[in-house]
Each structure stands twice: as C-alpha cells, then as structure tokens.
C-alpha cells in the first residue's frame, strides 16, 4: 500500500476543502493517486464544500453555554435562515458551544474532536456543508468567567434552547446568594441585549473611537463661534452623553428606565449584604459586521433569460 504522507493530505485538503480524515481515507482508497482521491471525494459529496466557501454566510445561530462559573458565546454562520432551523445544524452548533467551554479561541475550537465521529469540529462542519449545500463558518467565540459569583446567559429570539439571534453573557463577582445573583444577572443580560454597550467602563472605551467622537463634537461646537476654552468644556459635557450611550456601567438601566447600571449594582450589594461587581460581558448579534450581498432579483432573472 502506498505511503500516505501529511503533505499529500494537506494538498488534497487544499484542492477539495474536505476534512483531514476524509482526505486521508480518500488517498488510502486511491492508493496515493491524487486525482483518484479527488474523484473519490466528489463521489462521496465531500469536495463540494470548497465550491461554496466563497459565498457570504451571514445567517446561522448564536449559542450561549454556561457551566459553573464560566460561559461562552459562539457564532456559527450559514447562508440562509432556513439552515438555522435545520436539526443537524442546531445540534452541531450546540455541541460546538459545549466544546468551546474548553477552548482557548475559535481556532482551538476548530481542532477539537466532534463527539462520536473521529472528526474535528471543522471537519464535521465540512460534512454538514456537503450535505446541506450551503457555505458555513465557525466565526467567533467569546468567554466570560468569574472566580466567585455567577455567569448569566441570555438568548434573544431563541430558536432552540440556548440558540438564537442574539447571545449575551454577564459576569457578576460576589459572595452573595447565587440564586439572587442569577436573577440580577439575567436582567442585566437582557439590558445588554437591548442597549448594545461597547465597553464595560469609561476607561475601556476604544481610544480611536473616542478620538473620532471628540473630533466630531469639537467641530460641531466650533460652529457656535465660541472661544476655544468654552468649546473644550462643551466637548467634555457632550462626551458624558457619549459615555452614557456606549459604556455599560454608565447606561440607563432598561428595566426601570431611570437608574444607572452602576447604581443598580450598588443597590443590589446593599440588598444582598455583599458587594456585587460586574466584571465582564459579551454580546454577539448574528451577522454583525458581515457585508451581506444585496440580491437584485430582476437582474438575476434577466441574466438567466439571456
């Protein structure tokens, strides 16, 4: 039997987009003949995935999993909302999220074993791509953990348990009763889903974003014709409003519509008899940041008629 080397497997993967174990088996079946191995994969429907890799995948699911004092949010994309309702796709996303609890980042997750198959997460996804016929992508993950207290998760527009369009994690550090902390954590997670904060604290605001905002506010203030020293004070005043929009602890709590989140935490600490600190959060909205293709149905029909 011909020797199957790692470089041969790599070459076949690059040619077909199929999983590593499938490429190895194809080469074994073809006794090392590369073209016959390609044909074997095509007959099995496993090389089709590569043809779909260039298509925009902005639908799919966001999963949230919490285990003990750690939680993860994971986004897995597909091309259409229809696939998000597919049982096989939902099962994959749920299992991938469970594996993400033990993963350091998305690349590490892709290499984790998929249960009961002998394939990796990425290889299993390639199988699903070949079966369903859409491009899919393990896009991103984030984790939140605490040393004491709780991590609360929330899924908005849930399509199945822990799977939906928006996923949120909130970490609360405290020695207070965990049941009471979890109620507060769930409410805060719903707030994050609705209010879309960009940073936890003022000092966490992205420096480049802050500088852009400061420049815009300064230009607006100069239109008043006031002296520069007055303009500087006007900018600082308007920046406070900016912080209230983008900083979680400075936002108005959507649950009561009047308290600041930081004040809600302080009040909870007094009620619980233990300080409560919000140490981290994550918010994933399906497809955010992905440039979606704008379909021109009329143009598509016209092209087909040519």
């Amino acid at each position: 039997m011909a020797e199957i080397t790692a470089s041969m497997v790599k070459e076949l993967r690059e040619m077909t987009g199929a999983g590593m174990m499938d490429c190895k088996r194809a080469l074994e079946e073809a006794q090392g003949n590369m073209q016959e191995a390609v044909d074997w994969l095509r007959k099995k429907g496993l090389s089709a995935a590569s043809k779909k890799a260039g298509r925009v995948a902005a639908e799919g699911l966001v999963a949230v999993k919490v285990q003990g004092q750690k939680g993860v949010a994971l986004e897995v994309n597909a091309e259409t909302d229809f696939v998000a309702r597919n049982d096989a796709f939902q099962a994959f996303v749920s299992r991938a999220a469970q594996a993400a609890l033990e993963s350091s980042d998305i690349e590490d997750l892709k290499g984790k074993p998929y249960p009961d198959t002998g394939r990796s997460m990425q290889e299993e996804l390639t199988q699903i791509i070949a079966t369903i016929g859409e491009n899919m992508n393990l896009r991103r993950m984030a984790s939140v953990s605490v040393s004491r207290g709780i991590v609360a998760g929330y899924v908005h527009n849930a399509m199945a348990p822990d799977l939906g369009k928006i996923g949120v994690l909130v970490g609360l550090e405290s020695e207070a009763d965990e049941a009471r902390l979890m109620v507060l954590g769930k409410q805060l997670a719903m707030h994050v889903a609705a209010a879309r904060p960009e940073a936890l604290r003022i000092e966490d605001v992205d420096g480049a974003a802050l500088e852009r905002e400061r420049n815009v506010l300064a230009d607006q203030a100069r239109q008043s014709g006031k002296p520069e020293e007055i303009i500087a004070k006007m900018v600082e005043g308007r920046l406070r409003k900016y912080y209230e929009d983008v900083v979680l602890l400075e936002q108005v709590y959507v649950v009561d519509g009047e308290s600041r989140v930081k004040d809600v935490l302080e009040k909870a600490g007094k009620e619980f008899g233990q300080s409560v600190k919000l140490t981290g959060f994550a918010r994933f909205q399906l497809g955010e940041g992905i440039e979606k293709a704008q379909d021109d149905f009329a143009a598509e029909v016209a092209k087909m008629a040519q």
Side-chain angles (χ1 to χ4, degrees):
M1 183 175 179
E3 181 184 1
I4 308 302
T5 64
S7 61
M8 293 169 66
V9 173
K10 181 175 182 292
E11 181 181 353
L12 186 57
R13 287 191 72 187
E14 291 172 350
M15 291 173 63
T16 64
M20 181 177 67
M21 296 305 296
D22 291 318
C23 288
K24 185 173 184 294
R25 184 179 174 192
L27 286 164
E28 290 172 348
E29 293 288 335
Q31 297 185 6
N33 185 295
M34 192 64 66
Q35 189 55 56
E36 289 182 13
V38 171
D39 292 342
W40 187 90
L41 288 168
R42 290 183 63 195
K43 290 173 184 176
K44 296 292 184 180
L46 299 176
S47 66
S50 62
K51 298 178 182 178
K52 302 173 178 67
R55 303 206 302 236
V56 175
E59 296 295 337
L61 289 168
V62 172
V64 168
K65 292 282 186 182
V66 176
Q67 186 172 295
Q69 293 175 312
K70 181 178 181 179
V72 295
L74 173 70
E75 180 177 355
V76 184
N77 296 128
E79 292 181 53
T80 66
D81 183 62
F82 179 78
V83 168
R85 304 176 189 279
N86 179 282
D87 290 342
F89 182 73
Q90 289 185 358
F92 172 82
V93 177
S94 183
R95 289 176 178 173
Q98 187 66 40
L101 285 164
E102 305 297 329
S103 304
S104 57
D105 55 36
I106 196 69
E107 293 303 319
D108 181 46
L109 174 61
K110 290 177 180 180
K112 292 289 186 184
Y114 191 79
D116 306 321
T117 64
R119 292 187 287 268
S120 68
M121 287 288 166
Q122 185 60 54
E123 290 166 348
E124 181 65 21
L125 187 59
T126 299
Q127 293 276 342
I128 298 173
I129 293 170
T131 301
I132 294 178
E134 284 195 13
N135 185 25
M136 300 176 195
N137 179 38
L138 278 160
R139 185 188 178 202
R140 55 178 176 160
M141 62 171 279
S143 63
V144 172
S145 60
V146 295
S147 58
R148 56 197 177 99
I150 60 97
V151 174
Y154 170 68
V155 173
H156 189 64
N157 288 341
M159 301 178 66
D162 301 324
L163 303 174
K165 301 293 187 180
I166 298 175
V168 176
L169 295 167
V170 168
L172 294 179
E173 292 266 7
S174 180
E175 296 283 2
D177 176 71
E178 289 191 0
R180 300 180 76 181
L181 285 172
M182 189 59 73
V183 172
L184 175 61
K186 290 284 187 182
Q187 291 176 336
L188 287 166
M190 286 188 281
H191 167 92
V192 171
R196 305 179 63 158
E198 297 174 12
L200 175 59
R201 301 174 295 262
I202 290 177
E203 54 266 34
D204 298 330
V205 173
D206 178 72
L210 180 59
E211 188 61 26
R212 285 195 302 272
E213 187 68 18
R214 190 184 295 275
N215 290 336
V216 169
L217 293 175
D219 288 342
Q220 291 174 344
R222 287 191 182 96
Q223 294 176 19
S224 67
K226 291 183 169 59
E228 283 297 319
E229 61 270 20
I230 301 299
I231 290 172
K233 293 179 180 179
M234 291 172 66
V235 169
E236 291 307 311
R238 292 175 183 179
L239 275 178
R240 284 195 291 273
K241 179 62 174 67
Y242 171 72
Y243 292 139
E244 290 168 7
D245 289 338
V246 303
V247 176
L248 176 52
L249 293 176
E250 305 298 322
Q251 288 179 329
V252 174
Y253 193 36
V254 297
V255 174
D256 66 17
E258 56 184 38
S259 306
R260 301 289 176 198
V261 170
K262 61 185 179 183
D263 296 329
V264 171
L265 292 166
E266 184 178 353
K267 181 180 178 181
K270 292 177 181 177
E271 290 179 356
F272 298 169
Q274 297 284 346
S275 64
V276 180
K277 185 178 180 181
L278 204 168
T279 57
F281 76 95
R283 182 188 186 278
F284 280 178
Q285 182 163 342
L286 182 67
E288 60 188 348
I290 298 176
E291 185 175 347
K292 300 182 183 181
Q294 299 299 315
D295 295 329
D296 187 336
F297 183 69
E300 184 177 340
V301 172
K303 183 177 179 180
M304 293 173 63
Q306 291 177 354

